[in-house]
Amino acid sequence: MRQEKNNIFAGIDWLLVFLYIILVGFGWLNIFATSKTEENHEILDFSTKYGKQILWISLSVPLIISILFFNSKFYEKFASILYLISIFSLLLLFPLGNEINGAKSWFNFGVMSLQPSEFVKACTALAVAKLLSDRQYNFKLVKNQIKAFIIVFFPALLITLQPDAGSALIYLSFFFVLNREGLTLNYILLGAAVIALFVLTIFFGANTMFISLFIIISIVTAYIIYRGGKRFFRFNWYKILGFYALVALFIFGTEFTYNNIFKQHHRDRFEVLLGMKVDNVNIGYNSHQSELTISSGGWFGKGFLEGDITQGNFVPEQHTDYIFSTVGEEWGFIGSSFVIIVFMLMMYRIIYLAETHTNKFGRIYGYGLASILFFHVIVNVGMVIGLLPTVGIPLPFFSYGGSSLWGFTILLFIFIRLDAHKNYDW
């Protein structure tokens, strides 16, 4: 057993490694398809995007070895310190960050740039696992639930202030983890209701929504009183009035925020998505071209490097956030389904392995990893096919970018390390 413990590759789940290689390799092929030109198609040309991605992929190998080198107990013991370091890196962006596309999200090191938010996700998952696995921690207490919310949403707040709302949205995925560990489903239902009310307010307007909800709440209250609930009304009338006030505050606050705080391009994206306006030339151009690109692939696709829309560079940022549209055009419905199935297999395998952990830390971290992957895939694919607004969320292991690739590699291989020696590291 000591010999196995000293072998960093002992006990590794090679299925997860194999799925990782498939996604990274297939992702690179599609990055090559989006950035190859007639004049420049040398694979090892590091001035091209596909050449740079090969460099990031190659550097992932020593990164993986480094992750596997540390004992599983290391990640539990230093989870809090790693989380604080990650928070400090986000704070440093405000005075030292490099502004790209209006957001201070990057550190520029000359030959390369790094986006700290891609690495903070792993540190947050470790911190949540550390907190919830503490034997003295009772998650049923509201004060302890608030501690978990602070750990999750503080980095999300800092990322929002960069501003990078898309990356901040990912932290909603931790609700799945908290729910698995005992958080009532009411929080998720409340969040869904808030989102629905927000969208309906934008679509119908504050006055219409308030009047409609006022009528609905009044009818429900009258029905309760009619059914013999006069005593209920006598003791709870202040709660009902408070609920009216809360709904009114949220609805009119949403309208004020939407019209006065949201930037015009944010409002345009919502309105295009909700069908309130049609704009296939300006703000809706990316989504429109992406949908055309995917639909043109048919069942079997046009073939590798044969996608005329992809080769014509009609889809902006196709090598990053819109990389899935390349899959749709050149590999068709079959290829797109294959990518989704590989992601599903990876998430299923992670959850299956997480449930085999006798140590809560490994199980909770595994659920954190699976939830982050799930949220990324759903939002990215939904964005590319036009079901969700463009929010700038990459497809894991697939999209171009060293920070994204390294961030997800760290997330995955920390779990692989925790799982490999789960029987004797604790």
Side-chain angles (χ1 to χ4, degrees):
M1 181 176 293
R2 180 176 297 179
Q3 185 177 3
E4 287 186 356
K5 194 171 182 179
N6 292 331
N7 183 0
I8 63 173
F9 298 108
I12 281 182
D13 188 81
W14 291 104
L15 176 57
L16 280 180
V17 176
F18 179 64
L19 295 174
Y20 168 81
I21 293 173
I22 289 177
L23 290 173
V24 171
F26 195 33
W28 181 85
L29 285 178
N30 287 276
I31 292 171
F32 180 80
T34 62
S35 53
K36 182 192 75 69
T37 63
E38 292 295 333
E39 297 79 18
N40 194 345
H41 55 269
E42 292 293 331
I43 292 179
L44 294 180
D45 184 351
F46 297 123
S47 65
T48 62
K49 290 182 175 61
Y50 57 82
K52 292 178 182 177
Q53 192 70 4
I54 281 187
L55 183 61
W56 287 111
I57 293 171
S58 301
L59 291 174
S60 296
V61 176
L63 176 64
I64 291 170
I65 294 175
S66 300
I67 294 170
L68 297 177
F69 176 79
F70 290 100
N71 186 281
S72 300
K73 197 69 176 177
F74 168 87
Y75 294 105
E76 182 181 25
K77 183 178 180 180
F78 292 97
S80 300
I81 295 176
L82 292 172
Y83 175 77
L84 292 175
I85 292 174
S86 70
I87 293 297
F88 183 66
S89 71
L90 291 177
L91 291 171
L92 279 180
L93 282 171
F94 294 102
L96 302 177
N98 185 34
E99 186 171 323
I100 300 177
N101 296 328
K104 275 195 171 184
S105 303
W106 302 81
F107 286 122
N108 188 357
F109 297 101
V111 295
M112 67 176 182
S113 296
L114 289 176
Q115 187 177 10
S117 60
E118 293 294 339
F119 305 98
V120 175
K121 287 177 283 193
C123 297
T124 303
L126 287 170
V128 169
K130 172 72 172 179
L131 177 70
L132 299 186
S133 62
D134 191 333
R135 293 181 180 179
Q136 307 300 321
Y137 185 81
N138 184 0
F139 195 46
K140 294 181 180 180
L141 298 178
V142 175
K143 65 176 183 179
N144 288 341
Q145 294 174 1
I146 293 175
K147 290 180 183 178
F149 293 154
I150 291 174
I151 289 176
V152 170
F153 291 115
F154 186 61
L157 174 62
L158 295 178
I159 293 170
T160 302
L161 294 175
Q162 292 175 1
D164 185 2
S167 296
L169 280 174
I170 294 302
Y171 289 82
L172 293 174
S173 63
F174 282 97
F175 270 110
F176 295 115
V177 184
L178 301 179
N179 178 252
R180 168 61 181 84
E181 296 305 314
L183 185 69
T184 174
L185 192 62
N186 292 336
Y187 284 97
I188 297 178
L189 295 176
L190 177 62
V194 167
I195 293 173
L197 188 57
F198 177 84
V199 172
L200 291 173
T201 300
I202 293 173
F203 189 82
F204 292 107
N207 291 331
T208 301
M209 280 303 301
F210 178 72
I211 293 172
S212 301
L213 287 176
F214 181 84
I215 293 173
I216 293 172
I217 296 172
S218 299
I219 291 174
V220 172
T221 303
Y223 177 76
I224 293 174
I225 296 174
Y226 173 77
R227 295 288 296 179
K230 294 182 179 179
R231 185 177 179 183
F232 164 83
F233 179 76
R234 186 164 62 248
F235 289 105
N236 294 279
W237 63 268
Y238 59 92
K239 293 182 180 180
I240 296 173
L241 292 178
F243 186 65
Y244 278 120
L246 186 63
V247 170
L249 180 65
F250 180 82
I251 289 175
F252 290 105
T254 294
E255 184 177 61
F256 177 83
T257 301
Y258 184 73
N259 292 326
N260 297 281
I261 297 179
F262 275 34
K263 295 182 179 179
Q264 184 60 47
H265 68 274
H266 292 146
R267 293 196 294 270
D268 289 338
R269 286 173 180 174
F270 272 107
E271 290 169 9
V272 168
L273 177 69
L274 296 175
M276 299 168 65
K277 66 167 61 171
V278 177
D279 182 4
N280 294 331
V281 177
N282 297 310
I283 199 68
Y285 179 80
N286 288 24
S287 296
H288 179 65
Q289 289 297 322
S290 176
E291 292 174 49
L292 290 178
T293 304
I294 290 177
S295 61
S296 69
W299 282 93
F300 302 100
K302 299 174 182 176
F304 182 53
L305 303 181
E306 298 298 327
D308 53 309
I309 301 178
T310 294
Q311 299 304 311
N313 295 319
F314 288 102
V315 184
E317 306 300 327
Q318 193 172 9
H319 58 290
T320 55
D321 299 338
Y322 285 90
I323 190 70
F324 192 72
S325 64
T326 306
V327 180
E329 182 182 27
E330 298 198 344
W331 306 89
F333 178 79
I334 301 299
S336 301
S337 299
F338 171 76
V339 173
I340 298 298
I341 290 171
V342 173
F343 274 116
M344 289 176 61
L345 286 174
M346 175 176 281
M347 288 182 277
Y348 173 80
R349 184 63 178 173
I350 291 168
I351 292 175
Y352 170 78
L353 293 175
E355 288 293 348
T356 65
H357 281 235
T358 56
N359 181 275
K360 286 183 66 176
F361 181 82
R363 185 187 73 214
I364 297 169
Y365 181 84
Y367 268 87
L369 166 61
S371 299
I372 291 171
L373 289 176
F374 174 78
F375 205 89
H376 262 275
V377 173
I378 290 296
V379 173
N380 180 272
V381 174
M383 176 185 74
V384 171
I385 64 178
L387 293 179
L388 295 173
T390 300
V391 290
I393 292 179
L395 190 61
F397 311 114
F398 228 83
S399 295
Y400 168 79
S403 295
S404 175
L405 175 62
W406 277 20
F408 285 110
T409 298
I410 291 171
L411 263 168
L412 177 63
F413 279 89
I414 285 178
F415 175 73
I416 290 176
R417 183 62 182 87
L418 295 177
D419 180 73
H421 290 182
K422 61 189 174 186
N423 294 324
Y424 47 82
D425 270 359
W426 278 277

